Amino acid sequence: MVDAFQMAQRPAKQRTGLFFFLIVVFFAFGWQIGQIDLVSFFTKAGDAGPALMRVLWPWQRAISYPEELSVSSAKILSPCGETPYPENVWEDKDRPFLKVNPTCGVPSEQDGEPGTTLTLTGEGFAPGEEGEVWWRDPIGNEFRQRQAGDYVKVMPDADGKFSVEIIFPYRLLPRGAGEKAQEWTIEVRQLAAVGDPEPSVELKLAIEKIIETIFIGMMATLFGIVLALPISFLAARNLMSGSRFSLAVYYITRTILNIIRSIEPLIWAIIAVIVVGLGPFAGILALTLHSLASLAKLYSEAIESIDHGPIEAIQATGANWLQTIMYAVVPQVIPPFVSFTIYRWDINIRMSTIIGFVGGGGIGFLLAQWIRLLDYSAAGIAVWFIAITVAILDYVSAEIRNRFV
């Protein structure tokens, strides 16, 4: 008996060994095809830290302050004249003051000697707010000051003062323009925050688009229900197997629903954008088509699983096909219909958040733009709104399901 038991166990052990061998082979091929590189993942994961932190905590971009551009300028003579060029005088103490020393000099030469070194000092500027250095040449051309390849910037201290050394820049002038002394203008432009905090443009856009997203999902669900309800009865085999014609209608309906359902909503959105253009209408069309196919399938399967006793009882009274559906089928399918509808509503809300990536409107449209611009703080605002919306709708759908299902 022991020998017989051992012989019976050998095929099972062989099958188990073959099964594990196939798993190992499949895993090895998957590792190679997937180009999995754990070393690179763990060594470079820290590079995503700054961007990830801006996404996880983006709320500094949610608040903005009214900004005011203050411009302070000083005049410089080039080349120097016989008499000293007058210094700038701080007459209005309520406005920032800019002073340059010396008050005259020689511009830099192209591929030649650098120009005069100037000391630029300022007072009365907004503390801690960066300022940009601009020039205006004698013929009115404006350009930013560059030095060592970077734009020159100033940072006032806590008292609103700064001091920086810059080189008189090079600027190409028309023939004869530099033969006599002419005035150049140097400016410091500072964009400073003033007034009370207010919602930022990004926050307002995110609120507007998340509302649009919710309505895209709701409208698509509503249209999907209206279209799927009558079609689901045509896709139920137990109701459509009475004749060859009805059975043919069943197979045709099922085939069309499977084709529509097999195409992802993002693909439908691309097609809808071609037809109706960018915007929420394209997203509604895409989600409606996918909802129609999915809900009709779920509804028809619920119809196929009903108790046939009430159907036979109604038909025994001489009821026609429509009366049988109204009084024997509909009362049995209402609970699963409500459950499937809530489930699809939840899916549509989630899908409507990303349908905008292909131009279907909603907050996904903004999210795609901000990600392409590497504006991760603004993208983080959109991600938070999506997460909050999905969480709230999940709670609402659970409450509806508990009360009506």
Side-chain angles (χ1 to χ4, degrees):
M1 292 181 61
V2 174
D3 292 340
F5 177 77
Q6 291 177 348
M7 291 179 64
Q9 292 298 311
R10 286 175 186 172
K13 291 181 179 179
Q14 291 176 355
R15 289 194 297 269
T16 303
L18 179 61
F19 176 72
F20 279 107
F21 174 74
L22 291 175
I23 290 179
V24 171
V25 172
F26 179 80
F27 182 80
F29 275 108
W31 191 279
Q32 294 296 324
I33 294 172
Q35 300 180 359
I36 299 175
D37 187 357
L38 295 181
V39 175
S40 177
F41 172 76
F42 285 108
T43 56
K44 297 182 179 180
D47 297 342
L52 184 60
M53 289 304 300
R54 291 199 294 272
V55 172
L56 293 177
W57 194 254
W59 302 116
Q60 68 274 8
R61 285 294 297 278
I63 301 298
S64 64
Y65 293 84
E67 293 180 325
E68 182 180 71
L69 179 64
S70 61
V71 180
S72 183
S73 62
K75 300 292 184 179
I76 301 174
L77 189 67
S78 176
C80 294
E82 297 180 357
T83 58
Y85 197 68
E87 292 185 351
N88 200 18
V89 180
W90 196 4
E91 297 177 351
D92 187 356
K93 299 294 183 178
D94 294 330
R95 297 182 60 82
F97 169 71
L98 191 64
K99 180 180 178 182
V100 62
N101 185 39
T103 56
C104 65
V106 179
S108 300
E109 297 179 3
Q110 188 177 17
D111 301 326
E113 293 296 326
T116 306
T117 299
L118 307 171
T119 301
L120 191 65
T121 57
E123 297 183 55
F125 287 83
E129 297 287 347
E130 195 174 74
E132 300 174 349
V133 177
W134 286 74
W135 284 83
R136 187 184 300 111
D137 64 22
I139 60 175
N141 295 320
E142 293 186 346
F143 59 95
R144 287 189 66 179
Q145 170 81 38
R146 273 186 181 273
Q147 201 161 286
D150 295 324
Y151 287 116
V152 178
K153 300 176 182 179
V154 297
M155 180 64 71
D157 58 18
D159 297 325
K161 300 179 180 180
F162 67 84
S163 178
V164 62
E165 287 189 350
I166 60 175
I167 298 174
F168 207 131
Y170 158 79
R171 194 67 176 169
L172 184 64
L173 296 176
R175 186 185 299 273
E179 296 177 356
K180 60 180 181 179
Q182 291 183 325
E183 282 187 345
W184 291 62
T185 303
I186 185 170
E187 296 179 347
V188 171
R189 301 178 182 180
Q190 185 185 48
L191 195 63
V194 295
D196 298 327
E198 58 184 24
S200 65
V201 175
E202 292 79 9
L203 181 62
K204 294 177 182 177
L205 283 174
I207 293 174
E208 176 186 342
K209 290 300 181 180
I210 198 64
I211 294 173
E212 183 179 288
T213 297
I214 293 172
F215 277 95
I216 289 174
M218 292 179 64
M219 295 300 291
T221 305
L222 177 61
F223 293 149
I225 295 169
V226 172
L227 297 174
L229 277 174
I231 295 175
S232 63
F233 293 99
L234 300 178
R237 188 183 182 92
N238 58 340
L239 299 180
M240 300 297 293
S241 57
S243 65
R244 290 184 179 181
F245 174 76
S246 61
L247 194 61
V249 172
Y250 161 77
Y251 280 116
I252 293 172
T253 304
R254 277 283 186 169
T255 302
I256 294 174
L257 292 178
N258 289 334
I259 293 173
I260 296 175
R261 192 165 50 87
S262 64
I263 302 175
E264 285 297 315
L266 287 176
I267 307 300
W268 284 121
I270 294 173
I271 298 172
V273 166
I274 296 173
V275 177
V276 300
L278 298 171
F281 185 35
I284 292 174
L285 287 177
L287 291 177
T288 297
L289 279 172
H290 204 269
S291 298
L292 159 64
S294 297
L295 287 176
K297 177 181 181 296
L298 293 173
Y299 290 168
S300 63
E301 291 177 351
I303 294 171
E304 290 175 347
S305 62
I306 62 175
D307 184 9
H308 287 271
I311 295 178
E312 294 174 356
I314 292 293
Q315 289 177 342
T317 63
N320 58 29
W321 185 81
L322 185 59
Q323 291 172 331
T324 302
I325 290 176
M326 289 297 298
Y327 298 104
V329 177
V330 172
Q332 296 188 64
V333 298
I334 287 179
F337 274 27
V338 173
S339 180
F340 293 147
T341 300
I342 295 172
Y343 177 65
R344 189 63 211 184
W345 176 52
D346 187 77
I347 291 176
N348 281 344
I349 295 296
R350 297 170 193 268
M351 283 300 303
S352 61
T353 60
I354 62 171
I355 208 77
F357 273 78
V358 293
I363 200 169
F365 187 71
L366 281 179
L367 182 59
Q369 292 187 27
W370 285 333
I371 290 176
R372 292 190 188 103
L373 294 172
L374 304 181
D375 193 349
Y376 295 114
S377 294
I381 295 175
V383 170
W384 269 94
F385 270 103
I386 292 171
I388 293 171
T389 301
V390 170
I392 293 174
L393 292 176
D394 183 69
Y395 172 77
V396 172
S397 62
E399 287 296 316
I400 295 174
R401 192 177 293 107
N402 289 335
R403 294 189 181 186
F404 297 99
V405 180

